[in-house]
Amino acid sequence: MFGYRVPAPDEAMLISGGRRGLGGAPFRVVTGHGKFVLPVFRKTRFLSLAMSEAEVVEKCVTRQGIALTVRAVIAFKVGNDPESIINAGQRFLSDQDQMSVLTGRIFAGHLRSIIGSMTVEEIVTERQKLATEVLDTSKAEMAKIGLHVDSLQIQSIDDGNTGYIEAMSRPHKAAIQRQAQIAQAQATQASAEAEQAAARKQAEYARQTAIVQAEYSAEVDRAKAQAEQAGPLALANAQQEVLAAQTELAMKQAELREKQLIAEIVKPAQADAERIRVLALAEAERMKIQAEAAASFDRVALDRMLIDQLPQIVKEASAGLAGANVNVLNGADGLGEIAAGLVGQGLTILDSVRKNLGGDGSAAPGGEVQRYLGGPRAGGADDGPVDIR
């Protein structure tokens, strides 16, 4: 739009004419947004807020009187606040390149002042301290002209041809060289130890490899030997199995033969022996029976003879009574009783003999006859008188 102006992001728009700016400044400051500016009545200028750089190369004398050439680089810019923009605009708006020149001169003066209070050793070893002190001393002065320093870097320090810095560095160089030599020696030793360890590992690996190869070879040899022995061993096992089978067959044949012998010889012999024993027992029994039969026959014959003689015995007994001294108490009746008693005794003896003939023949017939006849008294002439009641 006609008369509407907008500053760039790294610029500040300064509008002069009309009313004054902040703090009685002859212009108003606009940043970050646009502004409608009346042509002819207002004038617009732009101040850069971008980063700028200033290089300082200055000869400085230290507290020890040694001249040093110091090279430094300053990074600065116009402050973002309106006050810094107004201060910088009033000083550098017409020639903004002068900011770098003026900044370099300011820092050169502060650099000479601070280096003059320090030794070479401090300057060399404490560069950051030097930069900080320079920044601190120049901060207020830079703020007056509206500038803000972002950083200060000491790039180099040179003593020219005096050789002071080099001499100062020699002990450090020597120490560094010693450390480097020690480190080199340690590295060499470590390398040698590593090589030795690697050699030991290789030797151990070779030993293990040889052992494994030997074991493998031994295993292969054993396998070959087993394979070579497999045939004879199988044949021997087969022969052993054949022998075992033959032995078992022979044992079975022997058992069978033993059974056959038992069946053919022992059993018949036992049967013959049993037959002979049975025959002997039968013969003995037969002879016993015959003996018993003979004895029984003899008793029967004796009994029969006694029976046959019994009437004669009775007769003789009766005859004996005739010559005996017998006292008959009852007369004829008493004599009749005696005769009847003799006849009855004879009959009883006869009946007993018959029973014995039908029994086991253990009783002796002669004894019975003798008992019935009264023993020797039956026919004795000297018998005493018989008292018959």
Side-chain angles (χ1 to χ4, degrees), residues 48-384:
S48 176
L49 301 179
M51 181 67 67
S52 299
E53 180 182 298
E55 186 176 357
V56 177
V57 179
E58 189 69 21
K59 280 190 176 184
C60 305
V61 179
T62 65
R63 189 175 65 186
Q64 299 159 319
I66 298 172
L68 299 176
T69 301
V70 181
R71 183 183 296 274
V73 176
I74 304 101
F76 67 95
K77 66 181 290 294
V78 177
N80 294 326
D81 58 289
E83 184 179 358
S84 297
I85 293 173
I86 291 171
N87 291 334
Q90 289 177 342
R91 291 169 175 81
F92 306 108
L93 186 59
S94 59
D95 188 4
Q96 297 186 27
D97 293 335
Q98 288 296 317
M99 287 189 293
S100 298
V101 177
L102 182 58
T103 300
R105 289 176 181 175
I106 292 172
F107 273 87
H110 288 290
L111 194 60
R112 284 195 303 269
S113 174
I114 293 172
I115 287 176
S117 64
M118 298 175 68
T119 62
V120 178
E121 289 79 6
E122 292 174 346
I123 295 169
V124 172
T125 58
E126 300 179 1
R127 290 189 180 188
Q128 188 60 39
K129 179 182 177 181
L130 173 61
T132 301
E133 290 184 1
V134 172
L135 285 174
D136 291 340
T137 56
S138 61
K139 184 181 295 183
E141 190 173 352
M142 294 292 289
K144 289 179 181 180
I145 60 177
L147 300 179
H148 175 75
V149 179
D150 289 337
S151 68
L152 170 64
Q153 296 293 331
I154 306 297
Q155 291 185 331
S156 65
I157 299 172
D158 187 11
D159 62 352
N161 296 324
T162 59
Y164 187 90
I165 296 176
E166 184 180 358
M168 184 180 64
S169 65
R170 285 175 184 172
H172 300 286
K173 288 182 179 179
I176 291 172
Q177 288 177 356
R178 284 197 305 272
Q179 292 177 359
Q181 291 174 356
I182 293 172
Q184 182 64 35
Q186 291 177 350
T188 303
Q189 182 178 359
S191 177
E193 291 177 354
E195 290 179 357
Q196 292 176 359
R200 286 195 298 270
K201 289 182 179 179
Q202 290 178 356
E204 180 66 19
Y205 178 77
R207 186 182 69 83
Q208 293 179 356
T209 302
I211 292 172
V212 171
Q213 289 178 351
E215 292 177 352
Y216 178 75
S217 298
E219 185 176 358
V220 171
D221 293 339
R222 285 195 299 270
K224 289 182 178 179
Q226 291 177 357
E228 292 176 355
Q229 294 175 359
L233 184 61
L235 181 60
N237 291 331
Q239 292 177 353
Q240 185 176 1
E241 292 178 357
V242 171
L243 291 174
Q246 292 177 351
T247 302
E248 185 177 0
L249 180 59
M251 291 177 65
K252 290 182 178 180
Q253 289 177 352
E255 292 177 358
L256 180 59
R257 182 58 181 165
E258 181 180 1
K259 292 179 180 180
Q260 290 178 353
L261 291 175
I262 291 173
E264 294 175 358
I265 298 176
V266 175
K267 291 295 184 181
Q270 291 178 351
D272 291 341
E274 183 67 18
R275 183 176 59 80
I276 293 171
R277 186 180 68 81
V278 171
L279 291 175
L281 291 175
E283 182 66 20
E285 185 68 19
R286 186 182 62 81
M287 293 177 68
K288 179 179 178 182
I289 292 172
Q290 288 178 354
E292 291 178 353
S296 177
F297 180 76
D298 291 339
R299 286 194 299 271
V300 171
L302 180 59
D303 292 338
R304 288 187 181 277
M305 183 181 67
L306 289 176
I307 291 170
D308 293 337
Q309 295 296 325
L310 184 59
Q312 185 66 28
I313 292 171
V314 172
K315 183 179 179 181
E316 291 294 333
S318 299
L321 289 175
N325 186 13
V326 177
N327 294 321
V328 180
L329 299 179
N330 293 325
D333 294 332
L335 182 62
E337 290 176 358
I338 293 171
L342 290 173
V343 174
Q345 289 180 359
L347 293 176
T348 301
I349 292 170
L350 180 61
D351 189 24
S352 177
V353 169
R354 288 177 177 175
K355 288 181 181 180
N356 287 331
L357 290 176
D360 54 359
S362 60
E368 289 291 332
V369 175
Q370 187 177 3
R371 182 172 62 85
Y372 282 109
L373 293 180
R377 296 168 57 185
D382 54 353
D383 289 337

